[in-house]
């Protein structure tokens, strides 16, 4: 997807503050954080939203949650929120699947 900002970030065409990366998933800081720690867990495969996911994406979706857990642990977070905004009515502004990891409100 040539005009997709998250495709540009995951392919290295656009910079981001990358926290973690593997073959399928990249984690980077949200440019406009809504919490002291606000990370985005983003698959490298372009899928527009949860609405567009298929049975074949089951492993990827599970992998996103497991990645969020591992990154939260490495950031020292003992509790956090994981949020998918789905569609415009659900507050989704970037049409590339992503999971918000929000935390860091309390002392560790
Ligand atoms: P959505 O509302 O689609 O669930 O969330 C999209 C998120 O992506 C927003 O929190 C927004 O701040 C973040 N975002 C949008 N553009 C960029 C960007 O170019 N770089 C980074 N790191 N985050 C972005
Ligand atoms: Zn994309």
């Amino acid at each position: 997807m040539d005009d997709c900002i998250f495709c540009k970030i995951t392919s290295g065409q656009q910079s981001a503050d990358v926290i973690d990366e593997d073959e399928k998933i990249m984690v980077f800081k949200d440019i406009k954080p809504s919490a002291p720690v606000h990370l985005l867990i983003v698959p490298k495969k372009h899928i527009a939203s949860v609405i567009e996911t298929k049975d074949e994406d089951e492993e990827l979706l599970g992998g996103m949650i497991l990645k969020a857990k591992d990154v939260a642990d490495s950031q020292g977070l003992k509790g956090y929120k994981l949020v998918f905004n789905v569609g415009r009515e659900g507050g989704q502004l970037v049409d590339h699947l992503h999971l918000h990891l929000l935390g860091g409100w309390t002392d560790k």
Side-chain angles (χ1 to χ4, degrees), residues 42-94:
V42 182
K44 293 183 175 178
K45 175 185 177 184
H46 180 89
I47 303 170
S49 85
V50 168
I51 291 169
E52 302 295 326
T53 56
K54 303 189 171 107
D55 287 351
E56 68 195 37
D57 299 315
E58 182 176 356
E59 191 177 330
L60 183 63
L61 287 163
M64 290 172 70
I65 295 174
L66 291 170
K67 176 66 77 180
K69 180 200 71 169
D70 288 346
V71 169
D73 188 45
S74 70
Q75 298 275 312
L77 300 176
K78 294 192 174 69
Y80 44 90
K81 296 179 195 290
L82 296 178
V83 178
F84 281 106
N85 294 328
V86 184
R88 288 290 175 276
E89 291 181 29
Q92 185 180 0
L93 296 174
V94 175

Side-chain angles (χ1 to χ4, degrees), residues 1 4-8 10 44-47 95-96:
M1 295 292 285
C4 172
I5 185 68
F6 286 180
C7 280
K8 284 184 179 161
T10 56
K44 293 183 175 178
K45 175 185 177 184
H46 180 89
I47 303 170
D95 291 330
H96 179 127

Side-chain angles (χ1 to χ4, degrees), residues 5-6 28-32 85 91-94 98 100:
I5 185 68
F6 286 180
F28 51 87
K29 289 186 182 176
D30 196 294
I31 203 165
K32 204 176 153 197
N85 294 328
Q92 185 180 0
L93 296 174
V94 175
H98 54 280
H100 294 259

Side-chain angles (χ1 to χ4, degrees), residues 13 24 30 37 75:
Q13 292 174 62
K24 294 182 177 169
D30 196 294
V37 177
Q75 298 275 312

